[in-house]
Amino acid sequence: MCGIAGFIGPSPPARSDAEDTLAMMRQRGPDGLGLFQDDLGENRVMLLHSRLAIIDLQTRSNQPFIDDGCVLIFNGEIYNYVEVRDELKTLGQSFRTDSDTEVILRAYRQWGEGLVDRLQGMWAFALFDSRNGKLILSRDPFGEKPLYYMETPDGLFFGSEIKFIRQLSARTPRIRHEKVRRFLAHGYRDVFKHQDSFFEDVKPLPAASIVTLTNSEMPRPRSYWTPHFNPQPMSEGEAIEGVRDRLFDAVKIRLRADVPIALTLSGGIDSNVVAGIAVHHFQQNLHTFSMLESREDYDERQFIAAAVRGLGAPHRERPVQSRGFLERLGRMAHHYEAPVLSVGMFLEGFLTETVASEGFKLAINGNGSDEIFAGYYDHYLYWLAGLHGTAEFEPEVARWRESMGKFVRNPLFKDPMRFVDTPDERRHLHHNAPEIDQLMVQPAADPFEEESFCDDLLRKRMLNELTRESVPATLFCGDLNWMYHSIENRTAYLDRSLISFLLTVPSNLLIREGFSKYLLRKAAEGYVPDEILFSRQKFGFNAPITSLLNREDPDVIDFMMMDSPVFDLVRRDKVEAMMRPDADLAGLDNFLFCVASAKMFYATQSGW
């Protein structure tokens, strides 16, 4: 896990700008800095790297990694580097390090741009092939590792973070106010539906893409993988076995490291399955960390306590608190160069402070499970809609009422006929404020955008979440939260082999016996306490906005009401009404957090 930045074009950056960029990149990689420059025809190539050493800690694996006419800078981890290296050795390749970095370079020498189909991992890399006169950029299948670029008259700049591009290019990109407006109106789900950023002229390289440059003109990136729902006939037992095999392999290869491992632990099954498999099957030593909210409807202490007993691992906890909220939000917004996208993502950033204080450089999480195993409350209703018209429908509705239906708070989810009667209903996916237009200066009711991946209602929704909505938002915040403290963060469920298999599983097998995420629960039996594995409640890092934003604190009130470009987008009088201590925020928690986050984004970027 590292930081990368670079340039290709006719007018290269000044050496001083490159050195200042490297100094800025040290936060992502404090274990080594490197810079490479060379000519590519009439253009100049510059590659910058800051290293966070996780595998093969020796300096021989520092970057830019130069060998056989190729130069590589790489951010991420190739989890199956051992298997790929062994295969390459049988093909005559030799190695001088034990790193995954060298495996990428050797794989390129063997398979060219086809190397990306051989890799299991997370990555953003730039590979300069001086022999063939080209620069190759690529991102991993799910976009776990960021890579932005900006085209200018001087050339093309790229980097892990926008601030690296700003520093290297000596340019100040303008805020994209329309994107802020859409975030305020619709929340985090709208942020990654378009290939743009919160700044004009700065774009992300798409996930699962690779592009070859011979000059500073950015051609259309080539997509090397697209998830596709292709159900195959299989029994429940075959589905469980297929999930178990691939899940255990996914956890196994993500435990490869030469440093100790931390794990963020909630009271839900996702992180507990990863922890249980790691500790009880692979005998991995873990340290676990949890965030605690005391309000009854968010309180998961009972389940976390059971998890800790079952794991027998060292454990740390941190309570949710309002003290220091604005200072922390400001620090995060400045580092993000974007609004913090949700309360849960803010709390993850809060928890990273505790992990960092214990000296860890590597953490694993359970993110992404809901989107691939069908774990959200609305997923159950999409699944029921798929049964409508069959003999199974009424018995399954009765089962839902006695299981997950008991815990639903959103009124849109209380009707089991919701997506039978209105299959295109998507109001619940934006802010839970039925009259959002009344809160905005200009009408905000943009049509909900959804990709038509397939005809299956449930799978269409899950694939949108995986590729365009919740998973990209979680990955964006996760990378920045952890790299702020120079900690690598691995997501166990975002495994291409596991997800490809799940996309062959018929949808009727995803939810069974009144349980969402049925296949995950069955695959992990024996590794997680039953009271967690078969709990009907859904848990994760979350809290009400009132646990963070103290509406009786004069400093908080002053900040929320001070002049800001936000009030060109949101009605000041509505925010003022919500800031009254006795105001009912039912359905407006997320909106008020987004207002605070957007205000802090504007405040921290005011010098740009």
Side-chain angles (χ1 to χ4, degrees), residues 33 58 76 231 259 275-276 307 317 349 355 365 386 417 449 465 475 582 596:
L33 300 176
Q58 299 185 43
V259 296
E317 296 177 348
V355 179
N365 67 70
M417 294 289 290
E449 297 181 17
E465 291 163 346
L475 294 175
D582 59 346

Side-chain angles (χ1 to χ4, degrees), residues 238-407:
E238 289 171 331
I240 294 169
E241 182 179 0
V243 167
R244 183 183 293 117
D245 290 346
R246 290 163 179 81
L247 176 62
F248 278 51
D249 284 346
V251 173
K252 176 184 177 181
I253 61 177
R254 282 162 179 78
L255 296 175
R256 289 172 172 167
D258 295 328
V259 296
I261 302 175
L263 182 138
T264 51
L265 187 73
S266 75
I269 70 171
D270 305 336
S271 57
N272 273 285
V273 167
V274 176
I277 293 171
V279 170
H280 299 307
H281 188 77
F282 293 113
Q283 289 75 53
Q284 176 70 47
N285 293 321
L286 292 178
H287 291 246
T288 59
F289 294 81
S290 298
M291 179 69 69
L292 300 181
E293 163 59 30
S294 59
R295 243 183 66 168
E296 183 177 356
D297 48 347
Y298 291 86
D299 188 359
E300 53 182 340
R301 285 175 292 184
Q302 169 191 342
F303 296 96
I304 290 175
V308 172
R309 288 194 300 271
L311 292 171
H315 181 67
R316 309 284 189 282
E317 296 177 348
R318 186 158 194 175
V320 175
Q321 61 185 39
S322 62
R323 181 169 55 84
F325 168 66
L326 289 181
E327 291 81 359
R328 185 170 286 105
L329 184 66
R331 186 167 63 248
M332 291 171 67
H334 182 267
H335 179 58
Y336 275 32
E337 300 160 293
V340 180
L341 300 183
S342 75
V343 172
M345 297 169 199
F346 170 84
L347 293 177
E348 180 193 58
F350 198 166
L351 187 58
T352 60
E353 298 173 13
T354 302
V355 179
S357 70
E358 298 288 334
F360 285 90
K361 297 173 66 176
L362 173 60
I364 298 179
N365 67 70
N367 295 334
S369 172
D370 287 311
E371 292 84 358
I372 65 173
F373 284 107
Y376 292 125
Y377 287 120
D378 62 336
H379 288 171
Y380 209 130
L381 298 188
Y382 287 115
W383 181 79
L384 285 175
L387 298 178
H388 188 254
T390 72
E392 298 175 74
F393 181 71
E394 291 298 337
E396 289 296 345
V397 167
R399 199 189 295 266
W400 169 81
R401 293 189 191 279
E402 293 302 314
S403 59
M404 204 169 189
K406 287 184 174 181
F407 300 100

Side-chain angles (χ1 to χ4, degrees), residues 538-550:
K538 179 167 177 52
F539 289 114
F541 296 143
N542 210 348
I545 186 62
T546 50
S547 291
L548 299 169
L549 192 148
N550 184 352

Side-chain angles (χ1 to χ4, degrees), residues 7-10 43 151-156 213-219:
F7 167 84
I8 178 172
N43 294 287
E151 296 178 89
T152 76
D154 292 334
L156 183 138
L213 297 95
T214 56
N215 53 45
S216 60
E217 295 182 7
M218 172 64 80

